[in-house]
Amino acid sequence: MKNSEIGIDLVEISRIEAMDQTALINRILSSEEKKAYDAIKHPRRRLEFLAGRFAVKEAYTKVYQVFDEPVNMNDVTVLNNHQGAPYLKSPYRPQDVIKVSLSHTEQYVVAMCLCVKGD
């Protein structure tokens, strides 16, 4: 693809489980994501949600490598559309289109971001 970049990240769910959940939530989740997280009742699904958001945001930063200003993960939002597919909203470089893919197994979450750069 002309004028595009890709980023990928792999996260072990057990690594997320071992972290301080409150600190991680405050560091990586946007207010919209916190609402979605709070609606999840099953503890395992909550871990998958956190691991997925972390993986997407890491993949997103790998797309660009360097930003004009430091990226705060909680400024970036990963939600799901009505069909369940993830999408990303970001105030950083809003002219670019970011396509997101997210998948998980029992042990891992993998995320990929494809950026089609705008003018």
Side-chain angles (χ1 to χ4, degrees):
M1 252 186 211
K2 182 182 168 185
N3 213 16
S4 63
E5 299 289 337
I6 193 166
I8 189 168
D9 196 62
L10 179 70
V11 173
E12 288 183 79
I13 295 173
S14 62
R15 180 175 157 227
I16 299 300
E17 187 174 28
M19 297 174 134
D20 176 342
Q21 301 294 296
T22 302
L24 183 63
I25 289 165
N26 290 329
R27 186 168 66 90
I28 71 165
L29 295 186
S30 70
S31 59
E32 289 176 273
E33 290 168 320
K34 284 180 184 177
K35 288 177 189 173
Y37 177 83
D38 289 342
I40 300 169
K41 300 304 176 206
H42 193 275
R44 179 66 184 183
R45 181 64 196 110
R46 283 180 157 218
L47 283 173
E48 292 168 353
F49 183 90
L50 287 174
R53 274 37 190 190
F54 185 80
V56 170
K57 293 174 187 193
E58 285 289 314
Y60 173 66
T61 62
K62 290 175 182 178
V63 164
Y64 294 106
Q65 310 271 324
V66 176
F67 284 83
D68 297 333
E69 57 189 272
V71 173
N72 291 318
M73 285 191 173
N74 56 14
D75 288 339
V76 178
T77 301
V78 180
L79 298 172
N80 298 86
N81 69 17
H82 63 282
Q83 296 174 322
Y87 66 94
L88 186 139
K89 298 189 313 184
S90 173
Y92 305 98
R93 301 187 183 166
Q95 73 278 10
D96 296 343
V97 175
I98 306 293
K99 299 291 186 177
V100 176
S101 185
L102 180 63
S103 187
H104 64 82
T105 67
E106 246 183 77
Q107 299 169 337
Y108 299 99
V109 173
V110 64
M112 185 181 317
C113 289
L114 173 68
C115 170
V116 179
K117 294 185 178 182
D119 292 333

